Amino acid sequence: MSQEEFQVCEACGVTAEMGYVISEGDDVAEVEIFAEDKTTAIAEFNAYLSLAKQVNDAVIHDLDESAELALNPLKVRLKFECSAEKLIFELRSRSLAK
């Protein structure tokens, strides 16, 4: 067994293997939306869904717009095809967080 010397990332100062960041089977992102009413919550979710579809158009979500929604927070799960897509979505969605 060889010992590897880990290099510190100059961009962020972190030392890690990508296996620790991207885990197999970790392909579901959870989005929490705080809104005053159902219409606002769905509109805000659609912004997240649009961003998710830019990563993978086959993303699946569990929001039923016709159902009575529990607000504050509205929790919606987005299932991607692989862990890397979830990670990309989470990084991009930071721009939507308020």
Side-chain angles (χ1 to χ4, degrees), residues 77-93:
R77 295 166 37 111
L78 298 161
K79 180 164 178 26
F80 293 90
E81 291 181 335
C82 68
S83 302
E85 292 171 350
K86 174 199 168 206
L87 181 62
I88 292 167
F89 167 75
E90 288 177 337
L91 291 171
R92 289 184 179 178
S93 68

Side-chain angles (χ1 to χ4, degrees), residues 25-96:
D26 185 19
D27 55 4
V28 177
E30 187 171 288
V31 176
E32 290 186 345
I33 298 170
F34 295 87
E36 296 296 319
D37 57 58
K38 180 178 177 178
T39 305
T40 306
I42 290 173
E44 191 168 332
F45 170 69
N46 284 331
Y48 282 96
L49 183 59
S50 174
L51 186 62
K53 288 188 178 219
Q54 289 175 15
V55 175
N56 181 345
D57 198 42
V59 66
I60 300 169
H61 64 84
D62 65 355
L63 177 65
D64 180 3
E65 294 181 24
S66 63
E68 194 63 35
L69 302 178
L71 298 176
N72 291 331
L74 167 64
K75 293 183 181 182
V76 183
R77 295 166 37 111
L78 298 161
K79 180 164 178 26
F80 293 90
E81 291 181 335
C82 68
S83 302
E85 292 171 350
K86 174 199 168 206
L87 181 62
I88 292 167
F89 167 75
E90 288 177 337
L91 291 171
R92 289 184 179 178
S93 68
R94 291 179 180 180
S95 65
L96 296 177

